[in-house]
C-alpha cells in the first residue's frame, strides 16, 4: 500500500487561508485516486475533494469555490488549498489514497491534521 503524511494544519482566523499537503511514500501516478476528507467533532467523516491520476477533480458541493485540490507528481504530493475559511471548517483533515483492485477499492489513510478556524 502507501504511507500518507499530512501537514499544514493549524489555527487560522475566519476568512484566512491554509494549504494542506499530503506526501505519499510511493509514486502517486500509480494511485488511482487521492482525496481529502474531514471529520468535525461529533460528526461523520465527509468528503472534501478528490483528484484522479488523470487529474479529474470533484468537490463537496458546499465547498466548491473555496477549496482547491491539486497534485505535484514530481513531489508525490497532493495539496488542498483552503480559502475564506469559516469556523465550520474546523475539523481533522485526512488524506486518502484509493487503488482499484479486482475486488473493489483498496484505501489507505493518513493520520490527519487539525485545522481550527477561530478568532
Amino acid at each position: 500500500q502507501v504511507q500518507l503524511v499530512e501537514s499544514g494544519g493549524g489555527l487560522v482566523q475566519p476568512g484566512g487561508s491554509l494549504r494542506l499537503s499530503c506526501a505519499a511514500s510511493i509514486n502517486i501516478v500509480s494511485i488511482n485516486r487521492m482525496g481529502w476528507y474531514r471529520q468535525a467533532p461529533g460528526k461523520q467523516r465527509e468528503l472534501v475533494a478528490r483528484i484522479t491520476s488523470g487529474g479529474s477533480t470533484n468537490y463537496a458541493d458546499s465547498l466548491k469555490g473555496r477549496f482547491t485540490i491539486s497534485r505535484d507528481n514530481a513531489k508525490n504530493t497532493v495539496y488542498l488549498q483552503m480559502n475564506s475559511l469559516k469556523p465550520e471548517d474546523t475539523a481533522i483533515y485526512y488524506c486518502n489514497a484509493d487503488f482499484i483492485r479486482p475486488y473493489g477499492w483498496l484505501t489507505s489513510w493518513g493520520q490527519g491534521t487539525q485545522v481550527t478556524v477561530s478568532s
Side-chain angles (χ1 to χ4, degrees):
Q1 290 193 3
V2 57
Q3 291 186 344
L4 304 171
V5 179
E6 301 100 330
S7 61
L11 174 64
V12 63
Q13 292 188 341
S17 298
L18 280 176
R19 188 178 78 157
L20 306 182
S21 300
C22 173
S25 61
I26 64 173
N27 189 333
I28 64 172
V29 173
S30 65
I31 303 174
N32 298 105
R33 185 174 67 189
M34 296 187 71
W36 288 95
Y37 288 71
R38 68 184 184 183
Q39 187 166 17
K43 295 187 177 181
Q44 290 188 337
R45 191 173 297 189
E46 63 176 0
L47 173 69
V48 174
R50 287 191 297 213
I51 186 166
T52 69
S53 56
S56 298
T57 59
N58 69 288
Y59 297 88
D61 287 341
S62 61
L63 301 176
K64 287 180 181 178
R66 294 197 299 124
F67 289 16
T68 302
I69 190 170
S70 62
R71 58 193 291 154
D72 185 335
N73 292 340
K75 296 182 178 180
N76 293 323
T77 301
V78 171
Y79 303 98
L80 183 69
Q81 178 67 42
M82 306 185 293
N83 298 327
S84 302
L85 284 162
K86 305 174 182 180
E88 51 264 41
D89 294 318
T90 295
I92 299 175
Y93 284 71
Y94 297 91
C95 177
N96 93 319
D98 292 326
F99 299 84
I100 295 175
R101 292 292 182 264
Y103 48 82
W105 290 100
L106 178 65
T107 297
S108 295
W109 292 93
Q111 81 288 350
T113 185
Q114 177 71 48
V115 171
T116 303
V117 184
S118 175
S119 55

